[in-house]
Amino acid sequence: MKARLLAVLVVFSLLAGAQPVAAEQVTGQPELSLSVQDNRIAPGERSTLNIAVTNDGSLDRGGPAALEQRIKTARGVSVTVLDEQINAPIEVRSGTVTLGSLPDGSVAAASFRLETGESLEPGTYEIPVEVAYSYTRSADYSESLSPPGYSDVNYADSFRRETMTVELVVEREPRFEVVPGETDPVVAGDTGTLRFDLENVGTETARQATVSLSTQSDDLFFGQPSQPRGSQSVFVEELAPGERHSVAVQVGASASLSPGSYPVAVDVAYETPDGLDGQSETLSTGVRVESERTFDVRNLSTSAFRVDEGEATVRATVVNTGAAAAQNVVVRVQGPQPLQATGPEAAVGDLGPGESADATFTFAVPADAEPGSLSLSFAVEYENADGDLRRLDEPIRRGVTLEPERDTFEVVDVNTSVTAGGEGTLAVTVRYNGEQPISNANAKVFVNDPLSSADDGAFLGSFEPGETRTAEFSVAASGTAMAKQYPASVEVRYDDASGNSKLADGLQFGVPIGAASGGLPIGYVGAGVGVLVLAGGVFVWQRQRD
């Protein structure tokens, strides 16, 4: 019947002068499927679920290629994970994903963010996924016999929403977490200890595990500064689910490393009870680095720091100017030759950030030392938090002045009542220029002709620095003494602060002698008498001649 109708139409078309046509139809539909390449998930983690959507369209009745392609194309494809239908602690943190058109033979990926709970048990989980799209279920057209072609196309479109599933698998396996421990900050230029616990939060025991640590900075290292390493391994024989293993390794930072937090990567290679090898995801912990330890020497002062002093003293304040504490701090001082440090070391104890302590050093200054400015170097040594001995790379230099030699005593006043041909008291006042109290001081005077002393010693007792005492002596001047000053000296013997006997001698001064009182001095009287005697003798001789 259809063929007879077609023939009638052809005849009619020929009689009408038109081209012969035929009515045709293309039918079919898209065929979408879902797959997941890596469908393994683990409890207590965030991950990405990548669903591959594949279109393998089919035809019920073919036709022109363009129409077939339309029939098999899914348009406006959207993919939604129906997390409310998942009966497990699996949450989807992203919504519907729109893929657009998906032609026959093509694949598109829809990605979703997942979060799993710690209570997720090992097993296989069916995840419902809704896929919605539009498509053309049929295309009617008129086919031209001459020339070949088609026209008058009519489409019948439709919309489809269907629910499919993908499988996610939770395997029995070890999984690990890093639980940070009480790690002290590492000071730049020093070492410390990195501490953490490695916990097996999985569902399988890990055996023969190697915990590999690595740093991301060349200035952060493991081990001692003399042999720095970029990685460190720790062996754990067995770690069952829920167990922890404490890890402690020495870590250091170069002096040039800027303060801040620096990551340390943690990888675990292990063996399962079935003898299979496994590798964890890279975990991370961190090390906080603080500024390099620094110290300062302040408030420098000296005592008896003079040429040829038996014991000179240098006092200073040592300050921890860094951000980290230092234990058992020791400061050593050194001066240029020919200075000799007799007490070069001072232990100032523990110093927290900003804390300070006083230090005292002693020197012997030989007589051939040149007075003037000179530099002292202070080396600082300490222990870090782990008890390791450390020292500053460069000593701290400070300038001091070496004073010229100074007399321990000096004569500051002389008073006497002695006159020519008489006796009197000579009072000599001396000042003590030392810097420590002294005791048992005795003075002795030395005079020369025409002066003499029958009582040349005097007890002065104790002196404080800068204090004066007056020593009194009995002296006499011969009749030939002139009214002027005559040289004399005094020495002082004393006990220093340590009980040692010392002598300060050669203290020069002048003794003023006054003129004789009550007439001419005896020398002038004697000369006058001699003149008179001589004159009388001349007179008698002259009378005898006459």
Side-chain angles (χ1 to χ4, degrees), residues 395-412:
I396 302 169
R397 298 190 178 276
R398 292 291 180 266
V400 294
T401 300
L402 180 61
E403 302 290 344
E405 184 176 358
R406 184 175 70 181
D407 291 331
T408 307
F409 288 89
E410 63 176 329
V411 176
V412 295

Side-chain angles (χ1 to χ4, degrees), residues 52-317:
V53 183
T54 302
N55 183 8
D56 188 14
S58 63
L59 291 173
D60 297 325
R61 184 175 180 178
L67 299 182
E68 289 182 353
Q69 184 64 28
R70 176 174 177 128
I71 292 294
K72 293 190 290 183
T73 295
R75 301 187 301 275
V77 180
S78 64
V79 183
T80 305
V81 176
L82 304 176
D83 58 341
E84 69 275 4
Q85 298 181 19
I86 302 174
N87 188 23
I90 300 174
E91 294 187 12
V92 181
R93 293 303 186 183
S94 53
T96 299
V97 177
T98 301
L99 301 179
S101 293
L102 196 63
D104 175 45
S106 63
V107 180
S111 297
F112 300 88
R113 298 193 307 275
L114 297 185
E115 286 187 7
T116 57
E118 294 287 351
S119 61
L120 186 63
E121 296 290 335
T124 301
Y125 295 87
E126 298 287 336
I127 306 301
V129 180
E130 181 182 86
V131 180
Y133 57 92
S134 299
Y135 69 101
T136 299
R137 66 177 183 272
S138 65
D140 296 323
Y141 66 95
S142 298
E143 185 176 19
S144 299
L145 300 180
S146 178
Y150 64 91
S151 60
D152 299 329
V153 181
N154 292 313
Y155 300 109
D157 292 333
S158 186
F159 178 81
R160 179 178 294 172
R161 187 189 304 273
E162 58 182 323
T163 299
M164 309 178 189
T165 60
V166 294
E167 287 187 350
L168 296 182
V169 177
V170 179
E171 296 180 343
R172 295 189 62 86
E173 62 179 358
R175 289 188 308 107
F176 305 95
E177 281 188 1
V178 170
V179 182
E182 296 183 359
T183 298
D184 294 327
V186 176
V187 179
D190 200 354
T191 61
T193 302
L194 171 63
R195 296 181 176 88
F196 64 88
D197 286 344
L198 182 70
E199 182 177 2
N200 184 353
V201 296
T203 56
E204 191 69 274
T205 297
R207 296 177 177 171
Q208 306 298 310
T210 299
V211 184
S212 299
L213 311 177
S214 58
T215 66
Q216 309 300 313
S217 171
D218 292 338
D219 291 319
L220 189 68
F221 56 86
F222 297 99
Q224 290 288 343
S226 58
Q227 293 181 324
R229 301 187 302 274
S231 61
Q232 174 81 41
S233 295
V234 177
F235 178 75
V236 181
E237 184 173 1
E238 184 173 287
L239 197 62
E243 287 187 348
R244 290 185 178 185
H245 180 83
S246 295
V247 177
V249 295
Q250 189 175 46
V251 61
S254 67
S256 61
L257 189 61
S258 301
S261 295
Y262 292 85
V264 174
V266 182
D267 293 282
V268 184
Y270 59 89
E271 183 180 290
T272 68
D274 296 331
L276 301 176
D277 293 334
Q279 178 71 46
S280 73
E281 295 182 354
T282 298
L283 308 174
S284 180
T285 185
V287 175
R288 184 160 60 90
V289 177
E290 293 187 346
S291 301
E292 182 181 12
R293 279 190 180 88
T294 56
F295 297 86
D296 196 10
V297 174
R298 302 172 182 171
N299 305 327
L300 201 65
S301 64
T302 60
S303 174
F305 205 66
R306 296 187 299 274
V307 174
D308 200 24
E309 276 291 342
E311 185 174 85
T313 303
V314 175
R315 295 180 178 85
T317 301

Side-chain angles (χ1 to χ4, degrees), residues 309-313 333 339-345 361-365:
E309 276 291 342
E311 185 174 85
T313 303
V333 67
L339 289 182
Q340 300 173 2
T342 56
E345 182 175 294
F361 311 92
T362 56
F363 284 86
V365 186

Side-chain angles (χ1 to χ4, degrees), residues 339-378:
L339 289 182
Q340 300 173 2
T342 56
E345 182 175 294
V348 299
D350 300 341
L351 292 180
E355 292 183 347
S356 62
D358 294 332
T360 300
F361 311 92
T362 56
F363 284 86
V365 186
D368 58 349
E370 292 293 334
S373 297
L374 50 85
S375 176
L376 300 180
S377 63
F378 296 87

